[in-house]
Amino acid sequence: MATTNGSNDLSSEMEVDAFRRLFPLRFHERHLLESIRPDGRPLGRARDTTISLGAVASANGSALAKIGCTTMLAAVKLEVMTPKAESPDEGCIAIDFHMPPICSPLVRPGRPAEAAPVITKQLTDTILSSGMIDLKELSLVSGKAAWMAYLDIYCLDADGALFDAALLSAVAAFSHLQIPVVSLNDDGRIVLISEENSGAMWEKEPVNKEKRKLKLESVPFSLTCLLHKNYILADPSDEEESIMETFLTVVLDSSFQLVSLNKPGGPGLAHTSAIQDCVGINKTESERTSEDIG
Amino acid sequence: MAGKTINTPTTYTPSPTSQNKKRSSIFTGSDWVRPDGRGLHQCRPAFLRTGAVNSASGSAYAEFGNTKVIVSVFGPRESKKAMMYSDMGRLNCNASESKDLSSMLLKALEGAIILESFPKTTVDVFALGVGVWWNIPYIAGDLPVVISCASLALADAGIMLYDMVASVSMSCLGKNLVIDPVSEEESYQDGGLMITCMPSRNEVTQMTVTGEWSTPKIHEAMQLCLDACSKLGKIMRSCLKEAVSAPQE
């Protein structure tokens, strides 16, 4: 008796798997009718989020962020540059998003993923326009030296909602960033002050007294939603994204003001009501996530 | 690295001026202690986990000291259309855009895989190093970690293997033989040795010797490496067993 039940379970499991592979849209729509998704989430619920700071010891600031299975590693490295003439008191941030071949079966070595430069541009626009970082905080010596923050984000596992996870990891890395203590030496170069050379080296005062963190204003939070017929699915997985191709990304800041809205084409059209719903879902989910992260 | 391709200003890193580093005699003395406090014949503690990447058919994460590596295995999947029919499967390795590391990884793993079990198709093995700064290329001290991690990932993906593949490297510093060297130790070495073997079958899939070695020293080094490989092999097996038994609890 037990064995016949066992083989029935196995064959019905294989049938479900086969149905999922052969008719993915019908498989998902069958779930949507019951207001649920294949992984058991309600439609408006984002996946569990975890953040871990300081993942890369050799970087000035780093963080590992996971939304469900999507994993992003962000690292900030500070280097010294000469500020531009028109903004002598401002540093600079350069953001780059990479999708190495480990993260997804669709990425081949030697052929960079199509999504990578798109997300790089989106991240740059969002982070710089949200006003999260005051570039004046990255200044060292007015007109002569300022920090250039190189932010590199690596996708380690691509399971949908890449932009959301990337933004989260970038924000976390900046929150972890510690600006090292440096001084200006005789050649006009900025040099790190470490315990070994602190006694002998500096004849001038250090440029900044102690290691400090950046002050982050209005931290942006992003949520991507899929629009399919009348349904709005928050935080899609990779499978859902590949089947239902219309999505909408809403980025709100900590006071729930709109930082950016992106609906990059797609076969479906969005009513204004859908856009308002997405903004509402972003609000709810960002509150829930900030409770989880604390 | 970020921003180097667009017209960003030139930057420099504010590191303190590098002290004049000559190899101090402590490296060759007999009572020398390694920078991380390990014994001469002591490998770094290994942390291994399978199933690190959900999108991959199989994957593994390895942490040996400060070296962190993720390896993803995809496949067996369709070979490129241009390739001719083959009744043996193909293995394709890529380790962070470095061609010679990728080819060494390929040679190390090829011997252990039962290629006949997946004809016409290709198994892709991709590796990424985390924690060492990105644009520093892999140094030999990390390749053994990548190889061991890759073999774990292949097992996680269910690719048929003759045996697990474990890899250990060794440096000769004057009179001392130092196992599993870190980059600092390696930069002062007189000779380097890396062995990749299948511990249970006692077969070596790849051996790389560089620099100056005397015959007795190299025999001693080989034996130490093979012993370390068999210990590492046991650790890898217990990692796989844990991964399988855990969900059934």
Side-chain angles (χ1 to χ4, degrees), chain A residues 101-137:
Chain A
I102 57 164
C103 75
S104 158
L106 302 170
V107 180
R108 299 281 182 166
R111 214 196 313 157
E114 285 173 5
V118 175
I119 296 185
T120 302
K121 181 83 174 61
Q122 263 186 288
L123 278 171
T124 313
D125 290 342
T126 306
I127 291 179
L128 293 180
S129 64
S130 69
M132 175 174 81
I133 298 177
D134 182 5
L135 291 177
K136 294 201 167 37
E137 285 205 68

Side-chain angles (χ1 to χ4, degrees), chain A residues 144-159:
Chain A
K144 294 223 189 86
W147 289 116
M148 165 74 102
Y150 287 109
L151 171 67
D152 286 286
I153 303 178
Y154 284 77
C155 179
L156 302 181
D157 195 351
D159 191 19

Side-chain angles (χ1 to χ4, degrees), chain A residues 54-59 66 69 71 73 75-82 84 92 94-96 98 100-110 145 147-148 150-152 154-159 180 182 185 188-194 196-197 201 238, chain B residues 1-17 19 51-59 61 66 68-75 77-80 92-97 122 124-136:
Chain A
V56 179
S58 58
K66 276 181 84 135
C69 289
T71 309
L73 179 66
V76 183
K77 192 100 168 83
L78 292 174
E79 295 207 345
V80 182
M81 68 167 198
T82 325
K84 295 200 230 310
C92 196
I95 302 176
D96 206 2
H98 310 255
I102 57 164
C103 75
S104 158
L106 302 170
V107 180
R108 299 281 182 166
W147 289 116
M148 165 74 102
Y150 287 109
L151 171 67
D152 286 286
Y154 284 77
C155 179
L156 302 181
D157 195 351
D159 191 19
V182 291
N185 77 1
R189 266 178 84 96
I190 298 277
V191 192
L192 265 180
I193 296 179
S194 59
E196 301 144 15
N197 58 11
M201 278 214 65
D238 189 53
Chain B
M1 243 183 124
K4 296 280 190 190
T5 45
I6 330 168
N7 39 334
T8 39
T10 47
T11 58
Y12 61 89
T13 169
S15 303
T17 48
Q19 290 94 19
V53 175
N54 193 261
S55 312
S57 315
S59 62
Y61 170 71
N66 282 330
K68 301 169 189 154
V69 171
I70 299 179
V71 175
S72 285
V73 170
F74 294 103
R77 54 184 179 180
E78 201 181 339
S79 297
K80 290 207 189 104
N92 173 36
C93 293
N94 182 275
S96 293
E97 300 299 314
T122 301
D124 287 315
V125 176
F126 299 135
L128 182 75
V130 177
V132 189
W133 194 242
W134 312 110
N135 53 5
I136 299 175

Side-chain angles (χ1 to χ4, degrees), chain B residues 8-179:
Chain B
T8 39
T10 47
T11 58
Y12 61 89
T13 169
S15 303
T17 48
S18 49
Q19 290 94 19
N20 210 0
K21 281 197 173 165
K22 275 172 68 172
R23 183 170 98 178
S24 31
S25 55
I26 57 162
F27 276 100
T28 46
S30 34
D31 53 353
W32 166 55
V33 173
R34 298 170 74 170
D36 51 6
R38 280 187 282 152
L40 295 185
H41 296 170
Q42 192 184 348
C43 292
R44 288 173 291 184
F47 174 82
L48 299 164
R49 235 348 148 253
T50 54
V53 175
N54 193 261
S55 312
S57 315
S59 62
Y61 170 71
E63 202 174 305
F64 283 55
N66 282 330
T67 301
K68 301 169 189 154
V69 171
I70 299 179
V71 175
S72 285
V73 170
F74 294 103
R77 54 184 179 180
E78 201 181 339
S79 297
K80 290 207 189 104
K81 305 272 189 333
M83 301 212 178
M84 285 175 21
Y85 171 85
S86 160
D87 51 10
M88 297 257 284
R90 273 182 263 262
L91 181 66
N92 173 36
C93 293
N94 182 275
S96 293
E97 300 299 314
S98 166
K99 278 213 138 162
D100 43 67
L101 279 165
S102 304
S103 77
M104 287 183 76
L105 181 61
L106 179 75
K107 293 295 167 204
L109 296 173
E110 232 177 4
I113 300 182
I114 307 180
L115 294 170
E116 293 84 357
S117 67
F118 50 97
K120 301 188 289 185
T121 52
T122 301
V123 166
D124 287 315
V125 176
F126 299 135
L128 182 75
V130 177
V132 189
W133 194 242
W134 312 110
N135 53 5
I136 299 175
Y138 275 120
I139 40 186
D142 289 340
L143 183 59
V145 181
V146 178
I147 295 173
S148 311
C149 188
S151 123
L152 208 55
L154 283 165
D156 186 49
I159 308 292
M160 293 186 75
L161 303 168
Y162 290 112
D163 189 12
M164 294 303 296
V165 175
S167 177
V168 169
S169 65
M170 193 128 209
S171 277
C172 180
L173 289 158
K175 288 189 303 208
N176 296 320
L177 282 178
V178 161
I179 203 169

